[in-house]
Amino acid sequence: MNVADSERVSSALEHLGYAFSPVIEEADVIVLNTCVIRQSAEEKAYGRLTSLWPVKRDRPEVVINLMGCLVGIKDNQPLRKRFPYVDVFSAPSDPSPLVEFLIQRHAHETEKAETARRYAVMDGDLLLPHPNIGQQVIGWIPVVYGCSHACTYCIIPYQRGIERSRPAEEILKEAHSLAAQGVKEITLLGQIVDRYGLDQPGYPSLADLLKQLSEIEGIERLRFLTSHPNWMNDELLNCVAELPKVMPHIEIPNQSGDDQVLEAMKRGYTTEQYRELVQRIRARIPGVSIASDIIVGFPGETETQFQNTYNLLEELKLDIVHLARYSSRTGTVSERLLVDDVSDDEKWVRFRALEKLQEKIIREIHATYLNTTVLILFEEKVKNRWKGRTPTNKLVFVESEENLIGQIRPVRIRWTGPWSMLGNLE
Ligand code: SAH
């Protein structure tokens, strides 16, 4: 989501006539987009922000924009006081404060006024940074902003606000502009992406939206994330199974394999329901890959409750499990009402146990790809190899003299490991 938000700022700046600079010291405008999902992310954001102070001191004309979840959706006075060298504060997904600041600043220059008008006209057209045109294979489009679910541990609803689906026309327009700039794969984003449209009367469903996006020439692959077990429905599963451009990969976090912990998290489903859903997904979409998120060390999580999570993952054998150690977030229900009583050491022990289990599972799953032929969409060159993905979102590296960027090619898999595979062009 943050990558997508940053791309929107970048697009707004391109419209205003700015160009991307890889060197911070040479930039006229510096945007720091931030995440606070866990304490570690927040600390990193503060670290980066502090490191920008000498840049501003040496070049007072530089514009510093602090964006994202560190700022949140409320007027953030303490932050403004603490970081007076920040020129613009903006909420997640919202480039407009920066755009308005830059337009104001340059109002006296006729040329800039002209670009401001251009921006107003072209708003909604997603411009990639100029060097990325024809090079950037993957694009991200947020379709639902914010979240109204309020899992007890999660800060997102507070920092990103209530759920707001975007109009389908806007999404389609962005997809068309990405396709015209060479993007081949689009991932639709939302905290509960399957709820797309449900907050607005008359909006299409996510499945309908995927159907419309499927018709765009140039877009070869579509993905969406993140799903929530309560909102994944048969219409969507049918759409993944039937539409050739919608890839067989589902990101559906369960967070815990213990019913009491799930209840304390207010996730809204039981372990049994999650198990059944995984079976339903696998039955409807043969060869599907399934990813999940797990939090270890939620307040009060006992050894036995953790073991239930371990056992469930051992049984379900999911393709990817994003692991997190519980991090208490100020203002969330679990921070206010529960004690963060699992020690840091114990959280690490549980984290490593799942990491080890998952590595074993994924090795086995990947080994089934050996000597098969898969269609790979190539994204970029990393060192001397082309990096691409299978429809199931697995990383594959291939050596070739050809420039493979943006191409979909059949690849014979000749080596598999837990994190990637190697193959040869057929
Ligand atoms: N809306 C999505 C993604 C939320 S953020 C969802 O609900 O699945 C991505 C992941 O960060 C979550 O799935 C969760 O596993 C993790 N996470 C969120 N809050 C956390 C916290 N306070 N401590 C540790 N991990 C957290």
Side-chain angles (χ1 to χ4, degrees):
M1 191 65 93
N2 269 342
V3 170
D5 286 354
S6 295
E7 286 185 351
R8 264 136 199 88
V9 180
S10 161
S11 169
L13 291 172
E14 289 279 332
H15 279 300
L16 285 177
Y18 288 85
F20 178 73
S21 160
V23 186
I24 285 186
E25 285 67 29
E26 288 172 6
D28 299 315
V29 179
I30 300 171
V31 183
L32 180 62
N33 196 3
T34 56
C35 170
V36 297
I37 191 79
R38 287 181 282 274
Q39 185 67 30
S40 51
E42 185 168 339
E43 278 159 16
K44 196 162 133 195
Y46 278 123
R48 292 299 291 271
L49 184 52
T50 309
S51 76
L52 290 179
W53 158 235
V55 180
K56 180 75 174 177
R57 183 196 52 207
D58 295 347
R59 286 193 301 137
E61 72 284 3
V62 77
V63 175
I64 295 188
N65 174 208
L66 182 67
M67 182 181 184
C69 285
L70 193 63
V71 178
I73 47 165
K74 299 179 204 92
D75 182 42
N76 212 319
Q77 281 307 330
L79 210 56
R80 285 171 199 269
K81 268 218 172 92
R82 195 169 149 199
F83 298 100
Y85 57 91
V86 172
D87 299 281
V88 189
F89 292 82
S90 33
S93 312
D94 187 9
S96 63
L98 177 63
V99 170
E100 277 152 30
F101 180 92
L102 294 173
I103 290 175
Q104 288 281 323
R105 174 174 269 205
H106 299 295
H108 58 284
E109 299 169 39
T110 42
E111 188 196 333
K112 290 285 174 182
E114 181 53 40
T115 53
R117 269 195 293 282
R118 205 166 76 216
Y119 174 76
V121 172
M122 296 177 78
D123 189 16
D125 271 344
L126 205 50
L127 285 187
L128 296 176
H130 203 74
N132 289 16
I133 295 176
Q135 299 300 310
Q136 187 176 326
V137 177
I138 310 289
W140 311 88
I141 303 185
V143 298
V144 192
Y145 290 135
C147 184
S148 297
H149 187 91
C151 302
T152 54
Y153 51 83
C154 189
I155 199 166
I156 292 175
Y158 302 90
Q159 302 307 92
R160 286 185 171 266
I162 58 162
E163 177 179 84
R164 288 107 61 207
S165 293
R166 300 177 66 204
E169 306 76 65
E170 221 174 281
I171 296 162
L172 287 162
K173 196 172 168 201
E174 289 192 355
H176 275 288
S177 63
L178 288 178
Q181 294 168 89
V183 166
K184 304 281 182 217
E185 173 179 306
I186 288 177
T187 299
L188 305 182
L189 302 172
Q191 299 303 334
I192 302 185
V193 70
D194 350 49
R195 278 192 47 83
Y196 173 73
L198 295 179
D199 59 314
Q200 300 284 343
Y203 274 37
S205 63
L206 182 64
D208 285 335
L209 185 64
L210 285 164
K211 273 181 209 131
Q212 292 183 47
L213 288 163
S214 265
E215 278 157 26
I216 298 177
E217 211 176 310
I219 299 300
E220 307 289 349
R221 288 183 170 189
L222 292 164
R223 301 179 188 275
F224 55 91
L225 68 97
T226 305
S227 291
H228 183 286
N230 292 8
W231 299 101
M232 165 63 68
N233 58 30
D234 285 338
E235 187 201 10
L236 188 56
L237 291 182
N238 289 340
C239 161
V240 181
E242 287 160 13
L243 288 180
K245 288 186 182 177
V246 181
M247 292 294 107
H249 176 71
I250 306 278
E251 299 258 350
I252 192 145
N254 62 325
Q255 310 295 3
S256 166
D258 181 85
D259 286 344
Q260 272 172 325
V261 175
L262 284 175
E263 171 59 35
M265 289 175 162
K266 289 273 173 286
R267 285 290 289 177
Y269 52 85
T270 62
T271 304
E272 188 49 30
Q273 285 168 328
Y274 187 79
R275 180 185 280 117
E276 280 168 12
L277 177 60
V278 167
Q279 286 158 0
R280 194 147 61 91
I281 296 171
R282 285 178 171 160
R284 187 65 190 92
I285 311 164
V288 68
S289 67
I290 300 181
S292 181
D293 298 1
I294 292 284
I295 299 175
V296 297
F298 185 79
E301 186 188 64
T302 64
E303 193 68 51
T304 317
Q305 289 173 329
F306 167 71
Q307 194 60 43
N308 287 339
T309 300
Y310 187 98
N311 294 347
L312 183 73
L313 292 181
E314 194 172 37
E315 172 198 328
L316 293 180
K317 298 194 190 317
L318 303 176
D319 292 81
I320 298 180
V321 178
H322 306 287
L323 294 170
R325 290 163 293 124
Y326 172 75
S327 168
S328 186
R329 308 284 53 220
T330 308
T332 57
V333 174
S334 63
E335 185 264 341
R336 283 183 281 128
L337 302 182
L338 304 172
V339 184
D340 184 7
D341 56 358
V342 180
S343 73
D344 212 36
D345 284 351
E346 184 55 30
K347 283 177 187 165
W348 271 116
V349 168
R350 294 177 188 183
F351 182 97
R352 295 222 168 88
L354 293 185
E355 200 175 42
K356 202 164 153 219
L357 168 68
Q358 198 52 36
E359 185 177 331
K360 183 170 152 277
I361 292 171
I362 197 65
R363 261 182 206 285
E364 289 168 11
I365 295 177
H366 285 184
T368 66
Y369 282 73
L370 207 59
N371 298 322
T372 64
T373 299
V374 236
L375 287 173
I376 306 298
L377 169 58
F378 289 96
E379 297 166 19
E380 58 175 333
K381 195 169 192 182
V382 181
K383 294 189 185 133
N384 58 339
R385 288 175 176 149
W386 300 100
K387 177 186 129 186
R389 281 173 199 272
T390 64
T392 50
N393 213 30
K394 298 184 183 295
L395 269 182
V396 175
F397 292 92
V398 166
E399 278 177 34
S400 169
E401 296 302 314
E402 273 179 76
N403 179 352
L404 297 178
I405 287 189
Q407 293 191 40
I408 297 182
R409 299 280 289 267
V411 168
R412 188 91 177 155
I413 303 297
R414 56 175 173 84
W415 176 88
T416 65
W419 320 124
S420 65
M421 309 178 190
L422 299 178
N424 298 334
L425 288 182
E426 285 234 303

